[in-house]
Amino acid sequence: MTDSVPAETGADLPGPTDPAGWLTLPDVAERLDLSISKVHQMIRDRELLAVRRDGVRRIPAELVANHTVLKHLPGVLNLLADAGYDDEEALRWLYREDPTLPGTPATALAGDQAREVKRRAQAVAF
């Protein structure tokens, strides 16, 4: 968890910059039909990624698609954590444009190149 990160705004955001692209933890709980404490547990277990924006912990909306967490996201988050990435660095890695993928690793996780993203995250760890 990134509890002490200063708020960033506008173009400085490493991920989706549109406020509609972010979900608060209660929004995620509602979308996944879970309790808020279960969402907190998922963040602690690196099943979800949350960062502070304007003092509020938020999750990029596309990581919680179709009322579920992207299938390979927990594995990628754990691999990045093993490589020493904190939540902000993991967010930047997920949203860094990659010309060899369709857009960003986060976008590729939702498509047929999820295993390639996982392989790349594994390579970062070693």
Side-chain angles (χ1 to χ4, degrees):
M1 274 180 303
T2 313
D3 288 337
S4 60
V5 173
E8 297 175 305
T9 58
D12 295 335
L13 290 175
T17 57
D18 178 3
W22 293 94
L23 297 172
T24 63
L25 302 190
D27 293 337
V28 172
E30 184 178 326
R31 185 175 280 197
L32 297 177
D33 194 27
L34 299 171
S35 69
I36 190 72
S37 60
K38 177 61 178 166
V39 173
H40 284 277
Q41 183 66 43
M42 292 174 77
I43 293 166
R44 280 191 300 273
D45 292 343
R46 291 191 183 98
E47 295 175 28
L48 275 174
L49 176 67
V51 294
R52 285 204 182 270
R53 293 294 182 258
D54 298 322
V56 177
R57 291 174 69 194
R58 300 177 190 271
I59 296 172
E62 68 186 338
L63 300 181
V64 185
N66 301 322
H67 302 287
T68 185
V69 175
L70 293 180
K71 180 179 178 181
H72 294 279
L73 179 64
V76 168
L77 293 176
N78 278 301
L79 288 166
L80 292 174
D82 289 347
Y85 283 54
D86 66 19
D87 291 346
E88 285 288 338
E89 291 166 331
L91 184 72
R92 281 192 288 280
W93 188 88
L94 284 168
Y95 286 94
R96 186 175 299 127
E97 286 292 326
D98 187 332
T100 64
L101 292 172
T104 66
T107 303
L109 273 177
D112 60 354
Q113 292 198 337
R115 292 182 197 271
E116 175 62 15
V117 172
K118 200 170 182 178
R119 185 195 65 74
R120 290 177 187 198
Q122 186 174 23
V124 168
F126 295 101

